[in-house]
Amino acid sequence: MKDVLKEYSKFIEQFNMVGSNVIYLNKNGYLENISTGFSSIENNIKSTKDSIYRIASISKVIVAIGLLKLYEKGLVDLDEDISKYLGFIVRNPKYPNDLISLRMILTQTSSIIDDGIYEDGIYKGYDGSNSTDDFIKLEELLTPGSKRFYKGYSEYRPGTNFIYSNLGCGILACVCEKITNKYFPEYIKEVLLQPLNIMSGFRLEDLKYPNNLVSHYLYENNKFRLYRNYELFKNVQCLKYPLGENYRGVAGGLYISAYDLSKIMQMLMNKGLYNNIRILEESTVNEMEKVQWSGKPTDPTYRKKGLQMIIMDNFTKEPLYGHFGNAYGLRSFMLYNKNGGLIFLCNGANFITNEEHMTIVQEKIIKFLVEKTNL
């Protein structure tokens, strides 16, 4: 495998990346980790195996694990009306008699959408709320007629159609807070990160080694522009509002190294078990990997959905499970099946989206690694 990773280092020279970390993990736990390029262009700091990234939407799998821990304890019912857990009525006004469930949110078929705007001096909708640090109640975003409401729901009946929703992931975190009476970043450390000896999390103060945080770059006008570093990430990390109101930041906000992320991936590959530490029940992981919805959405990467899992069968004989990430110049993926797993974290490149709504970089790297590792 080491020869493969050497080949990888040569292979990616075509992509003009800033830096990357790649991990291959086989079904027996054999792991290879390679880092390339730079974690900081300005400071001429090279990427290392300890480099920490803000991994974007792979974070959604981690939020789902937190919610499913409560499911295993019988504290939530995946098919119950989310209104019961949030404490206010949540309904798509086009379908007022249809409940919206946690399962729908986990499969991104809830009909809750992210649209937002700044209008008449007011931040409205989820995307609007992300433009300010103002405290905005979740209920206002989801209740038609409130001053913060903007669109809020699609025209589709809840449970029928996939629409990507960051707000949905935030709602899962809010449900966790309502039930546990704990701030979500603290709760997920307690039930997942600390048991796996992962010294990072959803806030910068969770990082045991903050100097390992890489800078993230956008490629513009044929050069890289610094978009986020430690100081700039302070402005976009999870903030602390009253419990049950922290829906911002968690959908993409986990800071973690590729190696520590591989512990979570290995736990999932082993049906909830990592180094004899039971995180999830086998039946729960099976439910995450089960096809809960399939169809042809506008983003073809999501033709099949498990519980906050992408299910892909266009690269391998055995389906791949996991998620992609895209934010602040970063591109990432965590994909695995029973034969092994792959993690790719990159803090900047000249990314062009392909027909699958991945980037050309991601697609070519997946194909290269799948071929070399026989996943």
Side-chain angles (χ1 to χ4, degrees):
M1 185 59 199
K2 289 181 180 179
D3 291 336
V4 172
L5 293 182
K6 286 180 182 177
E7 286 184 58
Y8 166 81
S9 297
K10 296 293 292 182
F11 174 77
I12 65 165
E13 288 178 1
Q14 64 184 292
F15 298 126
N16 188 24
M17 289 185 188
V18 177
S20 74
N21 280 75
V22 170
I23 276 181
Y24 165 68
L25 179 69
N26 74 10
K27 60 184 178 182
N28 298 317
Y30 173 82
L31 181 145
E32 286 293 343
N33 184 353
I34 189 168
S35 54
T36 66
F38 293 87
S39 66
S40 172
I41 296 174
E42 296 77 23
N43 299 312
N44 197 36
I45 300 173
K46 290 189 175 182
S47 302
T48 73
K49 295 178 181 180
D50 298 317
S51 293
I52 294 171
Y53 297 74
R54 185 185 184 276
I55 61 169
S57 287
I58 299 175
S59 307
K60 290 180 171 65
V61 177
I62 282 70
V63 175
I65 291 170
L67 188 281
L68 291 169
K69 291 285 290 181
L70 301 179
Y71 161 72
E72 290 183 342
K73 293 180 178 180
L75 297 175
V76 297
D77 180 338
L78 298 186
D79 298 303
E80 177 64 81
D81 186 345
I82 62 170
S83 305
K84 171 182 175 181
Y85 305 114
L86 295 176
F88 58 89
I89 299 299
V90 181
R91 288 289 186 275
N92 185 327
K94 302 175 186 67
Y95 305 96
N97 297 320
D98 288 30
L99 66 82
I100 294 174
S101 69
L102 290 170
R103 189 183 303 275
M104 293 175 190
I105 292 176
L106 286 163
T107 57
Q108 295 181 315
T109 62
S110 68
S111 80
I112 294 171
I113 59 177
D114 290 343
D115 289 23
I117 195 172
Y118 182 70
E119 185 177 63
D120 300 326
I122 299 174
Y123 293 98
K124 299 180 180 181
Y126 176 76
D127 285 343
S129 73
N130 278 338
S131 301
T132 177
D133 289 344
D134 294 348
F135 171 52
I136 299 173
K137 293 185 68 174
L138 178 62
E139 183 175 2
E140 291 187 88
L141 300 187
L142 294 174
T143 304
S146 74
K147 68 177 182 178
R148 302 285 188 175
F149 183 80
Y150 180 78
K151 294 184 179 179
Y153 303 88
S154 75
E155 73 270 24
Y156 297 107
R157 183 181 295 277
T160 63
N161 201 71
F162 173 90
I163 296 180
Y164 198 87
S165 176
N166 289 303
L167 176 54
C169 186
I171 290 171
L172 298 179
C174 290
V175 170
C176 289
E177 290 188 348
K178 291 273 191 178
I179 291 174
T180 65
N181 202 34
K182 296 176 182 177
Y183 180 50
F184 181 79
E186 296 301 320
Y187 164 69
I188 201 66
K189 281 197 297 183
E190 179 183 307
V191 300
L192 176 64
L193 303 180
Q194 289 175 349
L196 299 186
N197 195 31
I198 296 173
M199 298 295 103
S200 56
F202 281 87
R203 287 185 60 82
L204 294 173
E205 63 257 32
D206 295 331
L207 304 183
K208 184 176 181 179
Y209 303 105
N211 290 337
N212 290 340
L213 179 64
V214 306
S215 298
H216 293 51
Y217 297 85
L218 297 180
Y219 189 76
E220 298 175 339
N221 301 318
N222 297 315
K223 62 182 180 181
F224 288 106
R225 175 174 70 86
L226 176 66
Y227 193 55
R228 289 287 187 272
N229 58 15
Y230 185 92
E231 292 301 318
L232 294 170
F233 271 127
K234 286 181 180 178
N235 299 324
V236 295
Q237 68 174 341
C238 297
L239 299 172
K240 289 188 177 181
Y241 299 110
L243 290 175
E245 300 290 350
N246 294 292
Y247 55 86
R248 286 178 276 196
V250 292
L254 181 64
Y255 300 98
I256 195 169
S257 69
Y259 175 69
D260 278 343
L261 183 59
S262 75
K263 297 176 184 178
I264 297 173
M265 182 172 71
Q266 187 172 4
M267 178 272 293
L268 293 167
M269 288 171 60
N270 291 336
K271 300 297 183 181
L273 195 64
Y274 176 81
N275 282 357
N276 295 318
I277 301 169
R278 174 64 65 183
I279 299 295
L280 291 171
E281 297 300 323
E282 181 174 348
S283 59
T284 302
V285 179
N286 287 339
E287 193 70 12
M288 293 179 76
E289 296 174 352
K290 174 183 168 184
V291 177
Q292 306 275 340
W293 179 88
S294 63
K296 295 182 178 180
T298 54
D299 187 338
T301 306
Y302 298 89
R303 290 192 182 98
K304 294 180 181 179
K305 281 285 295 181
L307 297 182
Q308 213 58 290
M309 288 277 201
I310 295 170
I311 302 173
M312 301 178 64
D313 53 14
N314 51 335
F315 292 110
T316 51
K317 293 180 181 179
E318 295 286 338
L320 291 168
Y321 307 98
H323 218 286
F324 288 82
N326 168 18
Y328 305 125
L330 171 132
R331 294 296 189 277
S332 61
F333 60 74
M334 177 187 73
L335 299 169
Y336 71 91
N337 58 26
K338 67 181 183 180
N339 299 316
L342 301 171
I343 289 172
F344 167 74
L345 305 176
C346 174
N347 60 332
N350 183 13
F351 294 113
I352 300 172
T353 302
N354 64 14
E355 293 180 356
E356 292 291 330
H357 287 212
M358 292 179 285
T359 68
I360 301 297
V361 173
Q362 288 166 312
E363 179 186 29
K364 287 188 175 182
I365 288 174
I366 291 170
K367 288 181 177 179
F368 174 85
L369 293 173
V370 163
E371 178 184 349
K372 298 295 182 179
T373 59
N374 296 315
L375 238 59

